[in-house]
Amino acid sequence: MTEIFDQLRENLILALIIGCEIGFWFFLLAGLVARYPLRSPKVGGVLLLCTPLVDVVLLVVTVFDLRTGGEATWPHAAAAIYLGLTLGFGHSMMRWADQRFQHRFAGGPPPVRPPKYGRAKVRYEWKQFGRFAIAWLISAVIMGALVFLVSTPAQTEVLWKVALPIMTGTGVAWFVLGPFLTTIRPPRPRRGARETYVA
């Protein structure tokens, strides 16, 4: 019976992660549809403000689960990673979608495309890595809060053995393959080629 209950706990957290991802995109798209095609900026603004609520729900449920005696498993680790990534990249994702809706339905300027060459490419790679660094920091803070404020280190051991190493390894690979290599050798367009992106 205990094993069944523990399995239900894990499935709940996993389902919440999937539900929060769906909820984020639902409120984002609904807000943009209301703002531009339906010409209702107030309703759109309210819907867009709901996007952070899905993260709050996931955090509250995770805290409650651990406070009631649950032991952190890989879905809890995934929840910490998810919260860090959505808070680190959520704003840029919303801006990316807003530019496209504004261009398509409100006559706005063409969407800004990532640069491909030169110093602009270097700046872009460092900026993206900076967002990941923020996501890493948020995930680490969440895991620290769960350990010291919610539960015991033994209950949340998987957070440090799974979530943090995954995030750190991803960050090292991102740094080497992204801003580091781009800074050392910025990509250049082929002779005669034209850059078509909008800086």
Side-chain angles (χ1 to χ4, degrees), residues 10 27-29 33-34 40 44 46 56 70 72 76 81 100 109 113 117 123 130-131 143 153 185 195 199:
E10 291 186 21
F27 284 117
L28 175 59
L29 294 176
V33 168
S40 182
V46 171
V56 174
H76 295 86
I81 294 174
R100 281 146 182 81
R113 298 179 182 178
Y117 311 110
R123 288 194 299 269
R131 292 192 177 105
M143 288 184 282
R185 191 173 182 180
E195 300 182 17

Side-chain angles (χ1 to χ4, degrees), residues 63-160:
V63 170
F64 177 79
D65 183 49
L66 294 176
R67 282 191 64 89
T68 54
E71 183 176 346
T73 56
W74 71 267
H76 295 86
I81 294 174
Y82 172 83
L83 287 169
L85 291 175
T86 53
L87 293 174
F89 288 91
H91 181 71
S92 62
M93 292 167 64
M94 293 176 67
R95 185 171 62 250
W96 176 89
D98 184 78
Q99 288 177 350
R100 281 146 182 81
F101 268 79
Q102 188 180 36
H103 175 64
R104 175 67 178 80
F105 298 103
V112 177
R113 298 179 182 178
K116 297 181 180 180
Y117 311 110
R119 293 181 180 178
K121 174 66 173 177
V122 174
R123 288 194 299 269
Y124 173 79
E125 291 295 335
W126 278 104
K127 194 172 184 178
Q128 290 297 99
F129 180 75
R131 292 192 177 105
F132 178 84
I134 293 173
W136 183 95
L137 180 61
I138 293 172
S139 294
V141 169
I142 291 173
M143 288 184 282
L146 292 176
V147 172
F148 295 107
L149 301 178
V150 176
S151 190
T152 63
Q155 283 180 290
T156 54
E157 188 176 16
V158 70
L159 297 176
W160 302 106

Side-chain angles (χ1 to χ4, degrees), residues 129 168-179:
F129 180 75
T168 302
T170 302
V172 171
W174 191 325
F175 174 77
V176 172
L177 299 176

